[in-house]
Amino acid sequence: MSALPSSRTLNAYFLITWLVALVQLFSQQGASDYVSPAVSGWTLAATLSYAFMYLLPSVAIGHGLRWLLAGRKAFRRGPAILAAAAIVLTGFTQVLLFADCVIHKMYGFHVNGFVVNLVLSGGGIASLGVSHSAEMTAGAIALALVALQAAAWVWVLRRGAGDGAWRLRGAWAMALFLALTTGERIAYAYSEMSNYQPILFASEHFPLYQPLTFRNFAQKLGFKVDQATARSLHELEGSLSYPQRPLRVTPPDKPMNIVWLVAESLRFDMLDPKIMPNLWGLSNDAVRLEKHFSGSNTTQMGVFSMFYGLYGNYWFPMLAARQAPVLMEVLRQQNYQFSLNTSQRFTYPAFDKTVFAGMRTEDLHSLEGGAPAWRRDARNIDVLIDFIDRRDPARPFMTYMFFESTHANYDYPPEAEIFTPVLQEFNYRTGDFRAQIGQIKNRYINAAHHVDSQIGRMIDHLKKRGLLDNTIVIVLGDHGEEFMERSRWGHGAEFNRFQTSTPGVIHVPGRAPRVVTGISSHLDIPATLMPLLGVQNPPEDYSLGHDLLAPDFHREYAVAADWNRLAYIGDDFRVTFPVNAIGAAHNQASDGDDRPLAHADEAIASIRSAMMEIMANLARFSRHRG
């Protein structure tokens, strides 16, 4: 009967496994990871420590199993069980690292919950657009990695661990690991605080990288935190490909003005003749979108998606690059005048560094705090009307307004109260919201009625000045709002229709009124506006949307995102996927009426082609293509 290998022999095996993992991590790195001594040192420390971190489960289980088997002297199969466990665990780790490398090279992101769900729902690697021969090659490499681990096990056992070369001290190894990981994390946190981009971008090459930041803590301690604009991703990594191709633009002879109105948390069923009569009236002379979805259940990504026409996940590279949407760039190039107003602020979320990056400070007008939200909304409409009256009539103009009244606590003036009873004392701490939800919703409806009155003021002024016939008017919500129709209150928690669907009204001069009863998305807004500005490129060059004015407009599904998830929204199913690897199996599925499904397998299987399309789109504009 062969004896169990010693702890030192086991450590020797894990050392070889760690070296193989290092090779795989180094294969994902490039010259940008070693542009300076500081970046080189950080990359090396992170590579050494993360290669060990990925193996920690195998190390812990291997040593734990050895300890258990060592107490069973008569158990003959102990060595074989330990060998099988060590080889399978480490082999699986190596295969995962290899698969991550392949996915990262193909799509520009690491293995995440979306990828896992796509593969496990049938079709395997072929679902990712890989040919059969490539699939066979990948399988052969995976088998080779497992075989390499088996060979390493055999070699270590034959070599033995008695000589000094294998006398590995676990305490020293752990101390080295802690020193490396502590150093790289502190360096990352400092880089994030000081906006040192090379290290921030280098971290993106490590799957499951867990950043440490202390920007807010450093500010409280009095340290200077660099708020300078980050350099473009084009300069640092060449990973942003937006737009895909240079725009070909023939400006119209008579450019139209644009009035863009967005209301906080304004959900689809507020577009009602009683609640919002002014918007309803406008919608009868416009394109009315009856099943319209935001690109998110949050303000940040909802507003982002309507200006960029991209999934909310693109917020992060656009913010890092301080890249404005091409729509706004085209407007600037065509000498538009701007008045951009909000009853909240432009700095959080950081719309001043994304949607409105590069705009003149004097064109950004925010009113936050102080007066009630309904009064700030009314004041902002005053400012916009004044801007329209004082503008240069020889140049086109673009105005943007973000209404805050429909955000909890749902503020409105007395004359806007059309639904009663309402909850008078709105206290988050003491309220019984389940019992009071009807009264809370009435407050929300009254706030929407007030927002409608301000929209009406704007429309009436455009008519009075004879401008409506030459002005595109867009009215949207940033996202929806739920009042426990599906067990939640508010937004940001789920991707059901109540939290993601908003009114969609687009008035385009010269276009016949039309009602779109199928699915539409915030992603479609840039693809609709850009042709009206003379952009000749097809929408796929700069967005993931479609032209709502096209006679053949049709969308099979919408996509919404938040910080950690992505949602497919179709007529028959809603499926939510995590976009990180942790919790990959915890996807949620519901039917077309947002009722939970017991098993998501059927829904996932039915949307396979959409999943493949969504995954390709996740990185389409974040890396250069040949």
Side-chain angles (χ1 to χ4, degrees):
M1 179 183 70
S2 59
L4 284 172
S6 66
S7 293
R8 290 178 179 176
T9 300
L10 203 55
N11 286 338
Y13 172 75
F14 288 130
L15 173 62
I16 295 174
T17 302
W18 176 73
L19 293 173
V20 176
L22 281 179
V23 171
Q24 295 213 67
L25 289 180
F26 280 126
S27 71
Q28 294 200 42
Q29 298 168 8
S32 62
D33 298 303
Y34 297 91
V35 294
S36 69
V39 180
S40 299
W42 183 90
T43 301
L44 185 60
T47 304
L48 295 174
S49 60
Y50 264 80
F52 179 72
M53 197 176 300
Y54 299 140
L55 290 171
L56 269 178
S58 299
V59 173
I61 294 174
H63 278 286
L65 184 59
R66 184 194 174 280
W67 179 79
L68 288 174
L69 293 172
R72 298 173 176 267
K73 300 297 185 180
F75 192 51
R76 296 183 178 182
R77 296 183 180 179
I81 291 175
L82 181 60
I87 293 169
V88 169
L89 288 170
T90 56
F92 182 67
T93 301
Q94 301 292 4
V95 170
L96 282 180
L97 287 174
F98 167 70
D100 181 84
C101 180
V102 172
I103 293 297
H104 193 266
K105 287 180 179 178
M106 289 174 60
Y107 293 98
F109 51 80
H110 296 289
V111 170
N112 54 35
F114 193 87
V115 175
V116 172
N117 276 294
L118 182 59
V119 172
L120 294 183
S121 61
I125 297 175
S127 301
L128 306 178
V130 179
S131 66
H132 180 67
S133 60
E135 187 175 352
M136 294 294 290
T137 302
I141 293 175
L143 288 174
L145 287 169
V146 177
L148 179 61
Q149 292 299 136
W153 181 266
V154 173
W155 186 80
V156 167
L157 288 182
R158 289 182 177 177
R159 178 71 179 265
D163 57 20
W166 291 123
R167 290 180 183 176
L168 304 174
R169 301 285 185 179
W172 286 104
M174 186 58 67
L176 178 61
F177 164 72
L178 291 175
L180 290 171
T181 194
T182 301
E184 66 87 4
R185 286 174 184 277
I186 292 174
Y188 180 95
Y190 179 80
S191 299
E192 194 273 339
M193 182 184 72
S194 61
N195 216 9
Y196 184 61
Q197 295 290 308
I199 284 180
L200 302 185
F201 287 128
S203 70
E204 295 176 0
H205 289 144
F206 295 93
L208 294 177
Y209 184 78
Q210 299 298 310
L212 172 69
T213 62
F214 48 64
R215 176 181 291 259
N216 293 335
F217 180 66
Q219 284 181 311
K220 290 179 181 178
L221 292 179
F223 288 95
K224 182 179 180 181
V225 176
D226 188 359
Q227 303 290 347
T229 299
R231 289 182 289 162
S232 168
L233 285 172
H234 290 290
E235 298 176 78
L236 292 168
E237 198 172 29
S239 63
L240 193 62
S241 182
Y242 173 77
Q244 291 268 287
R245 295 172 182 82
L247 296 184
R248 306 184 305 277
V249 185
T250 304
D253 294 332
K254 295 182 178 180
M256 289 181 281
N257 308 309
I258 299 175
V259 171
W260 198 318
L261 307 174
V262 179
E264 168 72 49
S265 305
L266 189 66
R267 79 183 204 181
F268 66 97
D269 54 355
M270 293 300 100
L271 183 52
D272 176 274
K274 182 177 181 180
I275 299 172
M276 303 190 77
N278 293 295
L279 183 56
W280 179 260
L282 177 68
S283 75
N284 290 325
D285 295 318
V287 177
R288 183 165 73 237
L289 308 171
E290 294 196 334
K291 195 178 286 187
H292 186 75
F293 291 92
S294 172
S296 182
N297 53 13
T298 67
T299 297
Q300 173 177 303
M301 293 181 178
V303 173
F304 175 90
S305 64
M306 71 176 71
F307 276 90
Y308 287 84
L310 303 177
Y311 299 161
N313 313 81
Y314 281 96
W315 166 274
F316 305 102
M318 295 299 176
L319 175 62
R322 305 306 194 254
Q323 173 66 59
V326 291
L327 171 61
M328 295 300 295
E329 293 183 345
V330 169
L331 292 175
R332 284 201 296 264
Q333 291 167 5
Q334 296 187 15
N335 202 28
Y336 271 70
Q337 303 165 85
F338 298 95
S339 182
L340 310 172
N341 292 59
T342 178
S343 294
Q344 189 40 255
R345 48 186 165 176
F346 288 111
T347 56
Y348 188 82
F351 293 134
D352 59 331
K353 297 179 178 65
T354 50
V355 175
F356 302 121
M359 298 302 299
R360 300 187 313 163
T361 303
E362 54 266 36
D363 292 333
L364 299 172
H365 311 285
S366 61
L367 291 175
E368 60 169 306
W374 68 264
R375 198 180 297 277
R376 301 200 305 269
D377 286 346
R379 175 57 186 148
N380 265 319
I381 293 298
D382 291 340
V383 172
L384 287 178
I385 288 174
D386 183 60
F387 163 77
I388 290 171
D389 289 343
R390 291 186 300 101
R391 80 194 193 285
D392 179 356
R395 296 167 54 198
F397 69 85
M398 187 268 194
T399 67
Y400 168 82
M401 171 60 197
F402 187 85
F403 296 96
E404 183 72 5
S405 296
T406 39
H407 189 284
N409 299 339
Y410 315 124
D411 287 319
Y412 60 91
E415 61 270 20
E417 188 168 281
I418 58 173
F419 275 54
T420 58
V422 298
L423 182 65
Q424 298 294 341
E425 296 296 328
F426 202 106
N427 190 313
Y428 283 98
R429 283 183 151 184
T430 62
D432 182 356
F433 297 120
R434 187 169 295 277
Q436 299 169 329
I437 197 66
Q439 297 179 52
I440 295 172
K441 185 177 179 180
N442 285 344
R443 284 186 65 100
Y444 170 77
I445 292 172
N446 295 337
H449 188 64
H450 169 66
V451 168
D452 181 73
S453 70
Q454 302 310 304
I455 293 173
R457 289 179 60 204
M458 175 59 75
I459 300 303
D460 289 344
H461 193 75
L462 292 174
K463 290 178 179 178
K464 179 181 177 182
R465 297 300 184 192
L467 293 170
L468 190 59
D469 290 338
N470 191 41
T471 300
I472 299 168
V473 180
I474 304 167
V475 183
L476 302 165
D478 58 345
H479 50 75
E481 190 84 335
E482 183 183 348
F483 292 91
M484 293 188 178
E485 290 87 355
R486 295 294 180 267
S487 80
R488 300 277 191 172
W489 168 43
H491 58 270
E494 306 293 346
F495 290 103
N496 60 47
R497 189 177 185 190
F498 300 100
Q499 295 193 34
T500 58
S501 186
T502 84
V505 177
I506 304 178
H507 165 80
V508 180
R511 301 295 179 118
R514 180 174 162 217
V515 176
V516 178
T517 57
I519 292 174
S520 60
S521 168
H522 277 10
L523 304 179
D524 300 321
I525 303 301
T528 303
L529 293 179
M530 293 283 267
L532 300 175
L533 296 171
V535 176
Q536 306 299 312
N537 299 59
E540 53 265 28
D541 279 358
Y542 53 81
S543 83
L544 300 173
H546 311 288
D547 187 350
L548 291 162
L549 301 178
D552 60 346
F553 171 81
H554 176 71
R555 174 179 279 278
E556 290 287 343
Y557 61 91
V559 173
D562 64 11
W563 288 90
N564 301 304
R565 299 173 297 170
L566 197 72
Y568 164 95
I569 301 174
D571 284 320
D572 298 322
F573 296 111
R574 315 273 200 267
V575 184
T576 301
F577 303 94
V579 291
N580 51 46
I582 298 175
H586 296 112
N587 51 285
Q588 297 175 317
S590 60
D591 62 19
D593 198 33
D594 296 310
R595 303 292 183 181
L597 297 173
H599 302 287
D601 297 349
E602 178 184 350
I604 294 175
S606 70
I607 63 170
R608 166 160 300 284
S609 60
M611 291 172 65
M612 293 171 62
E613 183 176 55
I614 291 170
M615 197 174 74
N617 289 338
L618 277 171
R620 186 168 144 203
F621 292 94
S622 63
R623 63 193 179 97
H624 288 297
R625 295 173 182 269

